[in-house]
Amino acid sequence: PNPIYRKDAAGRLVAVNQAWEQLLGRSRADVLGKTNGDMHTPDALVHAEGQDTTVLASPSGYEAVETFITNASGKQFETIIAKKILRRADGSVDGMIGTITDVTLIKKLERELARQREQLDLVIRSSQQGIWDIALVGDTAPYYSERFREILGYTDGTVPATLRWQEHVHPDDAVEFQQRVVEHFKGLTALFDIESRVKCRDQRYVWVRARAITQRDADGRAIRFVGSITDITDRKMAEVALTDANVRVTEAARAKEAF
């Protein structure tokens, strides 16, 4: 299905396939026997001749490059052109054979994916949430975002390959945390959502809100666990301070009433 062409030692086209004709918008009857100079504009000629010179000088006699080509109707394509020098038995150049792979759609999708990743990264960074993505089957390495590592104190970029939550959750929160995980993995809850204290790298504890969801296979088995953590320590400290203040006010009111 890929366009293929063949040149002789003088650089003249001696064969092209139907896919080449369709991509370039030229019939073989019009191009056979022609050289780069016969078919390209001056600017394009310099580029095409440079590619041919590179492959001729290559020790392997093979080169593959990404380049733009323009067909007869002016439509531009992003392509990968692979060229191989053909030699006779005595080692002299007999010509060149090449293939063209149209990667226009692939490149477009790559740019769109890069744009979406950039948008997602901006959203994640602005939300101040740490993201994790853990495969529950297979050997895919877990992913922890930069903010995730920062919350847990791994600012140097390192984080345990296997992060065992049992070792990080505060002992007083561990039972409820594990129960919520089991319930979610069993499908009893649509989302995993809990507020808990977790131990950082320097052994101090911070409050986080962890929210996650599992991806399941056709049999309903959990195969992936993706979620986020948000540092809510300041909010929890404010709640404690407010509770203490309320207690003091209540006790003062009772003391006044008793007096």
Side-chain angles (χ1 to χ4, degrees):
N2 282 6
I4 300 175
Y5 63 91
R6 168 89 154 81
K7 293 182 178 180
D8 63 15
R12 296 184 294 260
L13 278 172
V14 295
V16 297
N17 68 347
Q18 187 177 8
W20 189 97
E21 292 180 290
Q22 292 173 344
L23 182 68
L24 276 295
R26 300 171 181 266
S27 68
R28 66 188 68 185
D30 293 334
V31 300
L32 294 184
K34 293 184 177 181
T35 64
N36 287 334
D38 299 323
M39 298 185 296
H40 295 293
T41 63
D43 290 341
L45 175 62
V46 173
H47 188 60
E49 288 293 333
Q51 290 180 345
D52 287 355
T53 301
T54 300
V55 70
L56 283 168
S58 172
S60 65
Y62 170 82
E63 287 290 327
V65 296
E66 293 187 12
T67 186
F68 288 90
I69 62 172
T70 305
N71 68 7
S73 62
K75 185 175 181 181
Q76 195 173 61
F77 300 91
E78 293 184 74
T79 64
I80 297 175
I81 300 181
K83 302 179 180 183
K84 174 69 177 177
I85 297 299
L86 302 176
R87 299 185 181 277
R88 303 184 183 92
D90 61 2
S92 60
V93 175
D94 185 48
M96 178 189 300
I97 189 168
T99 64
I100 305 174
T101 304
D102 181 6
V103 293
T104 305
L105 180 59
I106 294 174
K107 290 295 183 179
K108 180 180 179 181
L109 293 174
E110 286 179 351
R111 287 190 290 270
E112 177 62 21
L113 181 59
R115 185 184 67 82
Q116 291 178 358
R117 284 177 173 170
E118 182 181 11
Q119 288 178 334
L120 179 60
D121 182 61
L122 289 172
V123 170
I124 291 173
R125 287 164 56 190
S126 65
S127 69
Q128 289 295 293
Q129 296 185 54
I131 307 298
W132 82 77
D133 185 350
I134 301 173
L136 303 177
V137 296
D139 55 0
T140 303
Y143 166 78
Y144 304 104
S145 72
E146 180 180 351
R147 177 57 178 159
F148 182 98
R149 297 192 298 267
E150 181 182 327
I151 291 174
L152 294 185
Y154 295 92
T155 53
D156 57 357
T158 61
V159 67
T162 302
L163 191 64
R164 301 184 183 278
W165 278 105
Q166 301 92 325
E167 300 173 3
H168 288 266
V169 176
H170 192 284
D172 293 344
D173 304 331
V175 174
E176 182 183 5
F177 191 97
Q178 182 64 22
Q179 181 180 348
R180 296 279 188 92
V181 171
V182 172
E183 289 175 352
H184 182 60
F185 280 10
K186 288 182 176 181
L188 301 179
T189 57
L191 295 172
F192 173 76
D193 191 344
I194 192 173
E195 293 182 357
S196 174
R197 287 162 289 183
V198 295
K199 184 167 61 177
C200 298
R201 188 179 189 179
D202 59 4
Q203 304 303 305
R204 64 187 176 85
Y205 282 93
V206 296
W207 277 96
V208 301
R209 182 179 182 183
R211 288 174 286 188
I213 191 170
T214 56
Q215 181 182 6
R216 303 179 183 277
D217 60 16
D219 298 325
R221 183 181 58 163
I223 59 174
R224 187 178 177 188
F225 195 37
V226 182
S228 67
I229 58 172
T230 306
D231 187 347
I232 59 171
T233 304
D234 290 344
R235 195 199 82 197
K236 283 293 186 179
M237 295 300 99
E239 288 177 356
V240 170
L242 181 60
T243 300
D244 290 343
N246 287 336
V247 170
R248 289 196 297 270
V249 169
T250 301
E251 290 177 347
R254 288 175 178 173
K256 181 178 179 181
E257 182 180 354
F259 177 79

